[in-house]
């Protein structure tokens, strides 16, 4: 966003016709920015910026809704596309003048291409689509932005609104598959996958079987990729981890293959805790395995969250250890868990 003189080259400003020198604006007295009686650090606005915004403040105060006001907002947006008040004023003028919004949609798309992480322009786009009910450009627009930055929050947010608002679900899983083939660590694509399934088929048994297998394949390819593990957890939110077919066996295969991803260890601990919650037969042995994983995470594989894992271990001992004797025995057993446990 261009605020100061450093953002504009001298040639551009020299060729600029200031609003104060335009005959059609002689009836407007520019209104300077009020920085208070004793501003500490004033922004060094360029002459062009000051000229545009002084006239903008004046005409907004008049609440003028005219072609020249609309053109002025375009110059103001060019200088600072993140100014929400300018976009809001522009929408008021567009509506009052009953402008053809197809041109505005094209203009808005150009600004998005230049400033794809600008909240205000994406909001403007959404309002235009709400007004026109024309969604014909939206999926292509977001795909273009995502080609440059596959994790652009604003593009994903806009796309999710569009597909839900207009029921455009059909091609979404194909897009997600393409994005995950390019980068299986794309957490935004994983999030959108959950969003799409949750709003369409839901996680029926058949869908769940496929999605769990898909997530497991991705976890196997990149065990340290948190996104796929989080998706797997999300798919199984309504299920008992300990009784879901093949889940622990999948984790054990990775573990036996010398994988020590913190996400794998954390997932295995979750399964052990679920076994305890479901009243498994060998409580002491299951608790021991879970506590060994907690210590491995806190001491070696997820040390940045060591205190968290220590807390989880204390909570599990307090909740599941049958009596003090077992508590002591379990504490002794996990005292040297730096060695690779035989789980």
């Amino acid at each position: 966003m261009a605020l100061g003189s450093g953002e504009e080259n001298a040639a551009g400003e020299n060729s600029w016709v200031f609003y104060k020198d335009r005959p059609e604006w002689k009836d407007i007295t520019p209104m300077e920015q009020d920085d208070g009686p004793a501003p500490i650090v004033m922004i060094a606005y360029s002459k062009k910026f000051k000229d545009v915004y002084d006239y903008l403040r004046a005409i907004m105060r008049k609440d003028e809704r005219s072609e020249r006001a609309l053109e002025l907002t375009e110059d103001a947006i060019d200088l600072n596309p993140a100014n929400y008040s300018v976009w809001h004023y522009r929408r008021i003028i567009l509506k009052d003048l009953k402008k053809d919004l197809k041109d505005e949609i094209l203009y808005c798309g150009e600004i998005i291409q230049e400033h794809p992480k600008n909240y205000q322009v994406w909001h403007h786009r959404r309002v235009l689509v709400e007004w026109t009910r024309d969604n014909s450009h939206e999926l292509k627009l977001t795909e273009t932005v995502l080609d440059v930055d596959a994790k652009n929050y604003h593009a994903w947010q806009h796309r999710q609104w569009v597909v839900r608002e207009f029921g455009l679900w059909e091609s979404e899983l194909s897009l997600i598959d393409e994005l995950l083939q390019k980068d299986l660590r794309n957490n935004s694509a994983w999030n959108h996958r959950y969003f799409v399934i949750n709003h369409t088929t839901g996680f029926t048994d058949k869908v769940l079987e496929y999605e769990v297998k898909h997530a497991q394949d991705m976890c196997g390819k990149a065990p340290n990729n948190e996104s796929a593990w989080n998706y797997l957890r999300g798919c199984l939110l309504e299920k008992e981890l300990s009784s879901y077919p093949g889940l622990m066996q999948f984790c054990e295969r990775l573990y036996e293959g010398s994988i020590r991803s913190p996400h794998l260890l954390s997932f295995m601990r979750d399964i052990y805790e679920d076994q305890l919650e479901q009243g498994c037969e060998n409580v002491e042995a299951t608790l021991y395995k879970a506590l060994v994983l907690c210590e491995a995470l806190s001491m070696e594989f997820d040390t940045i969250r060591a205190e968290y894992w220590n807390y989880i271990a204390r909570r599990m001992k307090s909740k599941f250890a049958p009596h003090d004797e077992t508590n002591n025995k379990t504490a002794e057993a996990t005292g040297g868990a730096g060695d690779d446990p035989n789980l």
Side-chain angles (χ1 to χ4, degrees):
M1 83 185 59
L3 292 181
S5 56
E7 296 293 327
E8 301 161 4
N9 59 56
E13 188 154 304
N14 289 337
S15 63
W16 170 259
V17 178
F18 288 89
Y19 277 84
K20 65 184 179 64
D21 297 326
R22 301 183 188 188
E24 66 272 24
W25 284 89
K26 290 298 182 183
D27 61 308
I28 300 296
T29 301
M31 181 179 176
E32 293 190 356
Q33 178 169 305
D34 183 3
D35 289 320
I40 298 175
V41 180
M42 294 181 67
I43 297 174
Y45 296 115
S46 68
K47 291 179 180 178
K48 178 180 177 181
F49 188 96
K50 188 174 183 302
D51 176 66
V52 169
Y53 274 86
D54 284 356
Y55 275 85
L56 180 70
R57 277 186 288 271
I59 208 167
M60 287 179 70
R61 189 171 189 176
K62 279 187 60 181
D63 194 24
E64 180 177 319
R65 304 174 186 185
S66 63
E67 289 290 346
R68 70 173 183 176
L70 188 63
E71 292 173 6
L72 177 56
T73 63
E74 192 167 334
D75 286 331
I77 287 167
D78 184 55
L79 290 165
N80 182 7
N83 190 312
Y84 176 82
S85 298
V86 179
W87 285 109
H88 177 70
Y89 181 46
R90 184 176 178 85
R91 286 193 292 276
I92 291 173
I93 298 171
L94 287 167
K95 210 163 193 180
D96 201 72
L97 297 181
K98 297 179 172 58
K99 300 293 289 184
D100 183 354
L101 296 180
K102 291 181 181 178
D103 293 337
E104 185 69 9
I105 287 174
L106 291 174
Y107 166 71
C108 184
E110 292 172 1
I111 302 298
I112 285 175
Q113 298 282 356
E114 295 175 11
H115 305 279
K117 294 189 176 182
N118 180 312
Y119 283 95
Q120 288 74 20
V121 68
W122 282 105
H123 176 70
H124 187 66
R125 182 78 178 197
R126 176 167 171 170
V127 172
L128 293 175
V129 175
E130 287 177 332
W131 285 353
T132 63
R133 306 307 293 174
D134 179 6
N135 60 70
S136 59
H137 304 284
E138 304 316 295
L139 297 186
K140 180 60 178 176
L141 172 66
T142 55
E143 286 172 29
T144 300
V145 173
L146 294 172
D147 279 342
V148 178
D149 179 5
K151 300 178 183 179
N152 184 301
Y153 167 80
H154 310 284
W156 280 115
Q157 184 183 48
H158 187 71
R159 190 177 185 95
Q160 289 192 347
W161 174 75
V162 169
V163 296
R164 182 168 54 183
E165 182 74 9
F166 297 98
L168 305 177
W169 304 101
E170 187 175 350
S171 63
E172 292 307 285
L173 288 180
S174 298
L175 171 71
I176 296 164
D177 286 338
E178 290 177 14
L179 290 171
L180 291 177
Q181 284 176 7
K182 293 178 183 177
D183 178 14
L184 56 81
R185 294 173 176 80
N186 187 337
N187 57 294
S188 299
W190 284 109
N191 174 74
H192 192 55
R193 188 180 193 91
Y194 189 90
F195 173 83
V196 170
I197 292 174
N198 203 38
H199 285 84
T200 53
T201 60
F203 288 93
T204 64
D205 289 344
K206 184 177 180 180
V207 171
L208 185 59
E209 181 181 358
Y210 178 85
E211 292 303 312
V212 167
K213 177 65 167 59
H214 181 65
Q216 288 176 338
D217 289 345
M218 293 298 195
C219 290
K221 290 179 181 179
N224 285 304
N225 171 25
E226 186 175 6
S227 299
W229 287 103
N230 284 343
Y231 182 76
L232 182 58
R233 287 178 190 274
C235 290
L236 295 167
L237 274 177
E238 305 299 323
K239 300 292 182 180
E240 295 174 359
L241 295 180
S242 59
S243 59
Y244 193 82
L247 195 59
M248 179 55 99
Q249 291 82 349
F250 163 74
C251 293
E252 288 173 341
R253 283 196 300 272
L254 292 181
Y255 191 90
E256 289 164 3
S258 299
I259 301 298
R260 294 296 181 271
S261 158
H263 314 301
L264 169 63
L265 303 187
S266 172
F267 203 92
M268 293 176 72
R269 189 217 67 83
D270 287 351
I271 295 176
Y272 286 133
E273 180 163 10
D274 191 58
Q275 289 177 354
L276 292 166
E277 291 282 4
Q278 302 307 319
C280 62
E281 292 183 2
N282 198 336
V283 172
E284 186 176 345
T286 303
L287 178 58
Y288 167 72
K289 292 175 182 179
L291 294 177
V292 166
L293 289 171
C294 285
E295 183 158 349
L297 285 161
S298 69
M299 298 293 289
E300 185 174 0
F301 300 109
D302 193 16
T303 56
I304 197 169
R305 298 198 302 165
E307 287 304 314
Y308 169 76
W309 293 117
N310 291 337
Y311 161 75
I312 292 296
R314 291 194 303 271
R315 180 181 61 77
M316 289 188 72
K317 282 189 283 187
S318 174
K319 185 174 183 179
F320 298 112
H323 47 70
D324 291 339
E325 181 182 344
T326 305
N327 242 321
N328 295 333
K329 184 176 180 181
T330 306
E332 292 170 6
T334 58
D339 299 327
D340 198 4
N342 180 21
L343 297 176

